[in-house]
Amino acid sequence: MSGLIGKKIGMTSIFDENGKNIPCTVIEAGPCIVTQVRTEEVDGYSALQLGFDDATEKSATKADLGHAKKAGTSVKRKVAEFKGFDAEYKLGDAITVEHFIEGEFVDIAGTSKGKGFQGVVKRHNFGGVGQATHGQHNRLRAPGSIGAASYPARVFKGMKMAGRMGGETVKVQNLRVYKVVPEKNLLVVKGCVPGHKNSYVIIQK
């Protein structure tokens, strides 16, 4: 799936032609520079490696500097590979937000907000103990039983328990593109996108 790398700016709302208030996410999408071209002959598959958001040379490794120099561009903070571009691109070409068309649907992947160590009620939607009577004491949000008895004498793998929540790669599919603003490199999509403000997202169509 072809696409671009973007940065989540934040959320807003837009009124449609029927006067309905639509929640939207604003994304700064591109311009992305082609930093490497994968080919069937050399790599065994065809794809484009795109770079987004300039990084300082001071923070870059010599490998990154050499890689960027070959493409005739500066070092990029975020790099990702995309397949399925219709047009032919070469090293150093820029792909802008005009790659997307208003009204089409896109998939957006990002890293969800980290929530830290959370209990089972927040992390796995457990109901808690519910009643406050019948000898219930300080057990309102407890996980309850995590196993049987002397058989199986262990806790099964994958048991839903408390633990660190968030900070995972999440993809939201079929978000409608509401507006494309080429002069500001902005993409406005319906609904919410995983991640905090200024986090990087991968937009695919």
Side-chain angles (χ1 to χ4, degrees), residues 6-77:
K7 184 189 281 189
K8 179 177 173 178
I9 303 297
M11 291 197 72
T12 184
S13 58
I14 294 174
F15 288 95
D16 66 5
E17 60 275 5
N18 300 318
K20 192 175 179 183
N21 196 4
I22 307 293
C24 295
T25 304
V26 181
I27 300 167
E28 181 188 342
C32 293
I33 308 297
V34 178
T35 52
Q36 192 173 359
V37 179
R38 304 281 193 183
T39 59
E40 291 278 356
E41 300 80 50
V42 179
D43 306 288
Y45 67 100
S46 57
L48 291 181
Q49 186 191 83
L50 303 183
F52 174 70
D53 208 6
D54 293 341
T56 58
E57 286 196 10
K58 188 177 76 171
S59 64
T61 63
K62 285 192 175 180
D64 288 337
L65 288 167
H67 190 69
K69 188 178 178 183
K70 193 180 281 187
T73 183
S74 57
V75 180
K76 302 299 178 185
R77 287 185 188 276

Side-chain angles (χ1 to χ4, degrees), residues 84-146:
F85 281 97
D86 296 328
E88 289 288 325
Y89 292 99
K90 56 183 187 295
L91 273 179
D93 285 355
I95 305 175
T96 65
V97 72
E98 291 175 283
H99 181 65
F100 299 103
I101 305 161
E102 290 183 10
E104 70 179 352
F105 292 87
V106 295
D107 298 345
I108 299 181
T111 304
S112 61
K113 287 181 179 179
K115 305 287 184 183
F117 195 100
Q118 296 297 333
V120 289
V121 173
K122 186 180 179 83
R123 191 175 187 222
H124 296 297
N125 300 312
F126 282 21
V129 174
Q131 300 87 16
T133 55
H134 297 289
Q136 203 271 127
H137 177 69
N138 288 353
R139 311 269 320 144
L140 189 63
R141 299 172 70 88
S145 171
I146 58 166

Side-chain angles (χ1 to χ4, degrees), residues 123-124 126 145-148 154-162:
R123 191 175 187 222
H124 296 297
F126 282 21
S145 171
I146 58 166
R154 63 192 178 92
V155 177
F156 288 118
K157 284 184 178 180
M159 180 67 62
K160 290 182 178 178
M161 300 172 85

